[in-house]
Amino acid sequence: MSELWQLSATALAAAVRSREASAVDVAEAHLDRALRWNDQVEAFLHLEPEEVRRQAREIDRRIAAGEDPGRLAGVPVAIKDNLCVRGQPATCASRILEPFVPPYDAHVIERLRVKGAVLFGKTNLDEFAMGSSTENSAFGPTRNPFDLERTAGGSSGGSAAAVAAGLAPLALGSDTGGSIRQPAALCGVVGMKPTYGLVSRYGLIAFASSLDQIGPFGRTVDDAALLLEAVGGADARDATSAGVPVPDLRRPGDVKGLRIGVPRECFGEGLAPDVRALVERAIKDLGKAGARIEEVSLPLSVHGIAVYYIVAPSEASSNLARYDGVRYGLRGDGKDVEEMFSLTRGEAFGPEVKRRILLGTFALSSGYYEAYYGRAQRVRAAMRHEMEECFKKVDLLASATTPTAAFALGEKTDDPLAMYLSDVLTVTAPLCGVPALSLPCGRTAAGLPVGLHLTAPRFGESVLFRAARAAEQMLPPFAWPPEPPR
Amino acid sequence: MKHKVLVGMEVHLQLRTHSKMFCGCPVKFGAPVNTLVCPVCLGLPGSLPVPNRDALTMALALATAMGCEINNLTKFDRKNYFYPDLPKGYQISQYDRPLATGGAVEVVTEAGVKSVRLRRLHIEEDVGKNLHDDARGLSRVDFNRAGTPLVEIVSEPDLASAEEARAYLNALRALVQYLDVSDANMQEGNLRCEPNVNLHIEDAGGVVKTPIIEVKNLNSVRNVERAVKFEIDRQLAEYREKGAAVTKQPRATRGYDDQRDQTFEMREKEEAHDYRYFPEPDIPPLSIDAKWRAEAKARVPELPAARRRRFSDQFGLSAYDADALTRERATADYFEQAVAAGAPPKPAANWITSDLARHANDRKTSVKGLGLAPARLAALVRLVEDGRVARQVASKDVLPRLLDGDDDPEALVSKLGLARIDDASRIEDVARRAIAANARAAADYRAGKEKAIGALMGFVMREMQGKANSDVVQDVLKRLLREGA
């Protein structure tokens, strides 16, 4: 019989609701595993067992009292540490926010509490979600459960690794240029970035406001859907919230007649042969299941990385200006205010964060604005248009999520450009505001997971999840990483 | 030296909304430090701004009232700079798509009516307030004010004197009070303004333009007028000293010291400010549709300029008097109520803008705040106009009692024996004494110096506590002098 930690979120919620298992038992099973594994994987930055147990007991009490405990009753959900949970640290893996404890819950956290989820610790990330390997975390990198010498991806590496290793069945991450989908691919789990505006960003510590979206991790497509359904929908506190509810994502269906476009530009030189082989086979399987596979072209998508690395740092340079030591977080001493500002920011931000603040400050400065930020915005608008046109011909796009499987820790830390290029296949979706999902489609010879990337039109979550579920049924089932040495 | 004065005005106006511009915190002056704050206006990580629709509607009403062109599509931008009172490290403002552009404000000075063109009107959020404890060498920041909605109104440099600068601010204050969108109180900081002053001086070689000086630290309309006046004189003196070389000086900011009544150079940072404006990604652009415009327009009542013109046409008042009456909505209402109660308009206007205004000023209230019912004023004005009480007596003896609670001017006049004395026989005796006591003036008058009669009249009026009809007094004196009394 399966252990509790091996069950899907869907199965756990059913077991707790039907009182086959208590929320406390579920919490203990995952705590036991997390407390043993975290030394190796370093998925969590904060995990307070007593707080987890308190929430679990409350769920059990609600069930005993005959109250509806919610659709996520007793299901542990790991939370990326750039989301605000009242009374718990929210460090963004940065020294500057090390002492910061938010006095309020993010919208998604409120929703999780209402649905009966158990908030299960705060997961590691690249500092302020800037990076693709969690090596930019001020508190050390997360390791890939499939190979501890390799990266779990980033920036939501902690959330992906926690789910892959069975430390939590579900996790929330945030995706700006691929920060959910890339680590999901490298850790062999499902990760999804919703349409911009589907999930409220209230309480998500901003990196790049026009790109950031919160999204789910799970080991199955249905689990990811369950979590997205719980946290998505309108919120008056986010002016960019689209104000639309999440559609039913778990309705059965298949891919018969779906037109799936394969963008030529996503299968260029940088794609590793083993990744290409697995992804092409998965796409072929979708064809066999009745989808119409056709090659399409998105010529502007090749500018994605260039546009992204103007837009995201520009917004970040402004979003991170509030960390000045005046109201919260670390404060550098100084003989006057100017010196306090520069000591605080000079000492407490890591090198990648500083690099992006400098890039963005430059791109927005007078005399350069038009050549950089202005032009990037125009290319972005053209990319959106190109994407819309493409979705008049096809229902979905399919490609690899990442050009390679998990790379070794330290492999790209000295070469920021090489690191940036690991997002080359994922940046297009956030730039265009469209939803996209990565699901595991097999392992390389070295046993490393590879992700299949599906993209849908804006608010096309229904068709996206339907196709992902159909693909999941044809692909090899989720396989656990090797157990850690005791 | 022939020169032209160019003053442009940048005004920041706090809107009197219930809640702040981007969060639900109340807008209130004088609450204990940092009690009107939340994650949004403190700029806590993860918080997001949501624009206050009511603030936008108020700003739209103001733009409508000033005849501005309202943009169909408006958007917010971030203005980036570091300062302790700025919670997010940027201010949410509007850059290249303000709420409205163009428009004009009519100003009235003794010289007449003038239309001052506007450049733009936009909305932004206020910052916190730095509090310095010099004794302990500490600074604190109060964020109660942070996030209060502000409207910024920028005029063209159409103001040609310090008087016009004052009149512009008065006109703007009148406008916002009519619209009921701001308290526009400079002392409380609801209205802040920075005049930009320079001169075009006619020189042998053409026109010399002095560098534009922005003046800061102004906390009253009076100080704005004084500071602009000082700055005009200073720039003229500087030109006399340095000649056309003044054009090589950069534009600069100067502070105003009201103790010394002078402006002083403010130390500016070497580097020019680069605010790195870019579109606020947390707030989608707003489309101002016809329905919203109509809603804003419905908030616009008869405005001071229109009312001023109507008062001139309907009641035959001068533009200056009509302006003084209409500057405060409640005062204009008061005037109309007094007229409706039977007061002849011109004298009523005079009573309100001189006597009542002076008492209001002494008691630190408004004309309406004096609590004198418009019908009472009407009764008093009628007594004077009907010749039943002298204007001076009414002003000095009757009005103060009415303000202190007596409610019937006519009863008061008879009770105190203040009725005007028209009977020559009751005046003659005093007139004789006046001539006897002022032999020199009497002699001068007889010698043809008609003005000398003034001293004699003053004597009589003083002796009779101002109650005598001055026309009768003059007649009696002339007759007695002629008769050689």
Side-chain angles (χ1 to χ4, degrees):
Chain A
M1 184 197 139
S2 295
E3 306 261 0
L4 281 175
W5 60 266
Q6 291 175 313
L7 294 182
S8 71
T10 313
L12 283 172
V16 171
R17 289 171 65 96
S18 65
R19 303 169 86 157
E20 282 167 53
S22 72
V24 169
D25 291 342
V26 172
E28 291 296 351
H30 288 92
L31 278 174
D32 175 58
R33 208 164 155 77
L35 294 174
R36 271 191 295 125
W37 260 87
N38 202 44
D39 282 351
Q40 284 88 38
V41 182
E42 299 184 64
F44 289 100
L45 291 178
H46 323 281
L47 179 61
E48 290 172 46
E50 268 320 301
E51 168 58 18
V52 170
R53 291 182 183 115
R54 192 195 60 74
Q55 295 177 58
R57 281 196 300 272
E58 171 61 15
I59 300 301
D60 285 336
R61 188 200 62 74
R62 272 155 71 174
I63 292 170
E67 296 168 26
D68 181 355
R71 282 174 70 185
L72 283 173
V75 178
V77 181
I79 309 294
K80 189 178 182 179
D81 202 29
N82 59 354
L83 287 162
C84 291
V85 177
R86 177 202 283 263
Q88 289 189 29
T91 66
C92 283
S94 180
R95 293 269 173 226
I96 210 161
L97 280 179
E98 210 175 343
F100 175 64
V101 177
Y104 74 105
D105 277 341
H107 171 83
V108 293
I109 300 301
E110 287 178 357
R111 297 298 302 266
L112 287 181
R113 291 191 199 275
V114 169
K115 303 279 177 180
V118 170
L119 305 176
F120 196 83
K122 305 294 292 286
T123 59
N124 198 15
L125 64 154
D126 288 289
E127 185 176 4
F128 284 102
M130 297 178 187
S132 310
S133 70
T134 68
E135 287 164 295
N136 296 329
S137 167
F139 310 116
T142 295
R143 293 161 185 277
N144 193 314
F146 289 89
D147 179 346
L148 297 175
E149 297 310 311
R150 291 182 181 270
T151 181
S155 65
S156 313
S159 288
V163 172
L167 317 189
L170 294 176
L172 282 178
S174 67
D175 190 311
T176 306
S179 279
I180 291 175
R181 295 158 289 148
Q182 185 256 22
L186 303 194
C187 290
V189 297
V190 177
M192 190 265 176
K193 182 206 89 75
T195 302
Y196 187 79
L198 187 67
V199 181
S200 167
R201 292 182 296 118
Y202 190 78
L204 165 65
I205 300 180
F207 159 19
S209 314
S210 74
L211 298 158
D212 296 343
Q213 269 293 287
I214 299 166
F217 286 95
R219 286 186 297 265
T220 67
V221 172
D222 269 351
D223 276 9
L226 182 70
L227 184 51
L228 177 58
E229 284 174 1
V231 299
D235 178 20
R237 291 166 302 183
D238 176 358
T240 62
S241 165
V244 302
V246 182
D248 181 357
L249 300 175
R250 290 174 294 160
R251 216 179 302 152
D254 54 35
V255 291
K256 280 200 186 78
L258 273 188
R259 297 163 303 172
I260 297 180
V262 179
R264 192 179 304 145
E265 292 76 12
C266 296
F267 290 81
E269 262 179 36
L271 191 61
D274 49 358
V275 173
R276 172 193 287 267
L278 287 166
V279 169
E280 283 179 346
R281 199 200 60 199
I283 293 172
K284 210 167 276 168
D285 284 349
L286 284 168
K288 280 187 209 152
R292 287 199 340 243
I293 311 294
E294 46 192 277
E295 190 181 83
V296 295
S297 178
L298 293 166
L300 288 174
S301 66
V302 302
H303 302 299
I305 287 284
V307 171
Y308 178 82
Y309 277 96
I310 297 293
V311 173
S314 294
E315 293 180 11
S317 72
S318 176
N319 282 332
L320 271 61
R322 68 190 63 196
Y323 307 111
D324 56 8
V326 173
R327 294 162 308 281
Y328 47 78
L330 280 191
R331 174 187 293 178
D333 275 328
K335 59 179 187 314
D336 55 25
V337 161
E338 290 289 316
E339 201 178 282
M340 181 187 97
F341 286 161
S342 49
L343 281 176
T344 300
R345 296 170 65 79
E347 287 176 3
F349 282 139
E352 181 60 26
V353 169
K354 285 185 194 166
R355 178 170 14 249
R356 297 203 195 185
I357 290 175
L358 289 175
L359 268 173
T361 303
F362 177 78
L364 290 176
S365 53
S366 96
Y368 298 97
Y369 180 94
E370 264 315 305
Y372 292 97
Y373 189 78
R375 182 178 298 183
Q377 287 292 45
R378 285 193 295 279
V379 177
R380 185 179 178 184
M383 286 175 70
R384 278 169 180 265
H385 180 71
E386 180 178 276
M387 182 68 84
E388 278 167 25
E389 290 300 308
C390 186
F391 279 125
K392 287 178 182 165
K393 293 181 288 224
V394 297
D395 300 304
L396 288 171
L397 297 173
S399 68
T401 309
T402 56
T404 66
F407 47 91
L409 288 168
E411 190 181 322
K412 298 186 180 184
T413 42
D414 294 333
D415 187 352
L417 261 183
M419 189 72 91
Y420 294 175
L421 285 171
S422 67
D423 291 336
V424 68
L425 299 170
T426 48
V427 291
T428 310
L431 284 171
C432 296
V434 297
L437 178 151
S438 177
L439 76 160
C441 67
R443 309 267 197 97
T444 63
L448 296 172
V450 167
L452 170 68
H453 190 252
L454 299 174
T455 307
R458 274 162 48 79
F459 302 104
E461 270 78 4
S462 255
V463 65
L464 183 62
F465 275 89
R466 174 153 62 97
R469 194 181 310 101
E472 184 181 48
Q473 282 156 12
M474 290 178 287
L475 291 165
F478 177 81
W480 292 99
E483 285 294 298
R486 287 258 167 177
Chain B
M1 195 164 13
K2 266 191 92 171
H3 67 270
K4 203 172 129 195
V5 174
L6 290 91
V7 181
M9 202 76 90
E10 222 180 276
V11 169
H12 285 92
L13 202 62
Q14 277 184 353
L15 295 178
R16 198 175 51 207
T17 45
H18 290 296
S19 57
K20 292 186 179 180
M21 189 60 219
F22 298 112
C23 64
C25 290
V27 172
K28 226 164 77 187
F29 182 76
V33 171
N34 288 323
T35 53
L36 309 176
V37 292
C38 73
V40 176
C41 57
L42 283 176
L44 291 193
S47 65
L48 292 171
V50 177
N52 177 341
R53 195 177 186 280
D54 199 37
L56 287 160
T57 307
M58 283 187 180
L60 286 172
L62 185 54
T64 306
M66 297 191 301
C68 306
E69 195 171 311
I70 292 167
N71 274 316
N72 291 325
L73 198 71
T74 190
K75 70 178 173 74
F76 289 98
D77 299 275
R78 292 187 185 177
K79 178 181 182 178
N80 296 284
Y81 64 99
F82 287 102
Y83 206 66
D85 66 11
L86 186 67
K88 299 184 293 296
Y90 56 84
Q91 180 191 31
I92 304 178
S93 180
Q94 297 196 283
Y95 184 54
D96 56 353
R97 265 201 170 267
L99 207 58
T101 54
V105 172
E106 273 192 9
V107 304
V108 183
T109 61
E110 288 187 66
V113 181
K114 174 173 180 172
S115 178
V116 176
R117 292 169 302 154
L118 300 178
R119 205 168 272 177
R120 57 184 276 153
L121 177 151
H122 76 245
I123 201 150
E124 61 188 28
E125 57 178 338
D126 209 343
V127 297
K129 211 175 217 165
N130 290 344
L131 309 169
H132 301 292
D133 182 344
D134 290 333
R136 291 159 67 201
L138 292 175
S139 291
R140 293 183 303 157
V141 193
D142 178 8
F143 290 103
N144 282 349
R145 192 178 71 176
T148 298
L150 286 181
V151 164
E152 180 176 321
I153 303 162
V154 183
S155 85
E156 295 289 348
D158 284 354
L159 302 164
S161 67
E163 293 73 28
E164 287 188 8
R166 180 198 62 203
Y168 174 76
L169 288 179
N170 283 335
L172 213 53
R173 287 175 61 191
L175 201 60
V176 300
Q177 281 165 359
Y178 270 60
L179 290 162
D180 198 22
V181 296
S182 173
D183 293 327
N185 182 329
M186 283 191 81
Q187 273 77 33
E188 287 190 4
N190 312 134
L191 186 153
R192 283 164 252 159
C193 87
E194 286 153 15
N196 287 277
V197 184
N198 82 324
L199 308 176
H200 288 185
I201 302 170
E202 272 185 33
D203 188 90
V207 174
V208 172
K209 298 178 181 176
T210 62
I212 297 171
I213 300 295
E214 182 174 300
V215 188
K216 290 191 190 261
N217 309 346
L218 298 165
N219 60 4
S220 71
V221 175
R222 180 164 164 269
N223 282 350
V224 173
E225 183 175 10
R226 291 167 74 198
V228 170
K229 191 163 166 21
F230 178 87
E231 198 43 43
I232 293 167
D233 294 343
R234 192 193 64 78
Q235 291 185 23
L236 272 177
E238 193 170 56
Y239 169 75
R240 281 196 199 96
E241 188 191 322
K242 300 179 184 167
V246 293
T247 56
K248 293 197 180 68
Q249 295 171 189
R251 10 182 347 149
T253 303
R254 295 177 70 90
Y256 178 70
D257 177 344
D258 68 340
Q259 296 298 309
R260 298 177 172 184
D261 182 21
Q262 61 187 36
T263 65
F264 58 91
E265 211 170 318
M266 283 178 105
R267 234 154 40 92
E268 288 273 294
K269 284 208 292 185
E270 297 280 310
E271 63 202 279
H273 270 304
D274 180 355
Y275 291 120
R276 305 190 312 280
Y277 280 100
F278 76 106
E280 166 57 280
D282 286 329
I283 306 174
L286 293 167
S287 117
I288 316 276
D289 58 14
K291 197 172 151 244
W292 201 352
R293 282 163 200 260
E295 191 187 324
K297 201 173 173 192
R299 290 184 67 135
V300 180
E302 184 188 25
L303 294 172
R307 203 166 195 190
R308 191 187 72 229
R309 277 192 289 273
R310 180 165 66 79
F311 277 16
S312 290
D313 296 346
Q314 190 175 336
F315 305 118
L317 304 178
S318 72
Y320 194 71
D321 280 348
D323 179 57
L325 275 179
T326 49
R327 226 173 272 159
E328 277 187 36
R329 191 178 180 175
T331 304
D333 290 346
Y334 186 91
F335 168 74
E336 293 207 271
Q337 285 156 10
V339 170
K346 272 187 173 175
N350 180 269
W351 274 93
I352 291 169
T353 56
S354 60
D355 295 83
L356 294 190
R358 193 179 61 245
H359 284 289
N361 195 38
D362 289 348
R363 298 178 189 209
K364 303 215 173 345
T365 182
S366 62
V367 165
K368 188 186 172 209
L370 287 169
L372 178 67
R376 297 277 163 269
L377 177 72
L380 180 63
V381 174
R382 269 203 320 273
L383 282 177
V384 175
E385 295 308 305
D386 294 349
R388 296 173 57 201
V389 63
R391 174 73 171 84
Q392 279 234 320
V393 174
S395 172
K396 280 216 303 255
D397 300 317
V398 185
L399 180 61
R401 288 187 170 81
L402 290 177
L403 292 177
D404 289 338
D406 276 307
D407 62 355
D408 185 349
E410 194 158 357
L412 206 56
V413 165
S414 62
K415 189 171 89 189
L416 299 177
L418 295 172
R420 194 171 75 179
I421 299 166
D422 296 329
D423 183 353
S425 65
R426 288 177 62 190
I427 293 169
E428 205 170 303
D429 208 37
V430 188
R432 282 182 201 283
R433 277 195 279 125
I435 292 166
N438 294 277
R440 175 79 187 274
D444 285 349
Y445 179 82
R446 290 195 185 99
K449 278 193 189 167
E450 294 216 347
K451 274 191 185 161
I453 202 168
L456 303 172
M457 289 202 50
F459 183 96
V460 176
M461 294 305 278
R462 253 194 320 277
E463 289 286 303
M464 300 186 69
Q465 290 101 43
K467 287 185 279 184
N469 181 336
S470 57
D471 293 342
V472 179
V473 173
Q474 193 165 10
D475 288 346
V476 170
L477 278 171
K478 283 182 179 168
R479 177 165 55 78
L480 290 176
L481 287 163
R482 228 176 18 247
E483 289 167 358

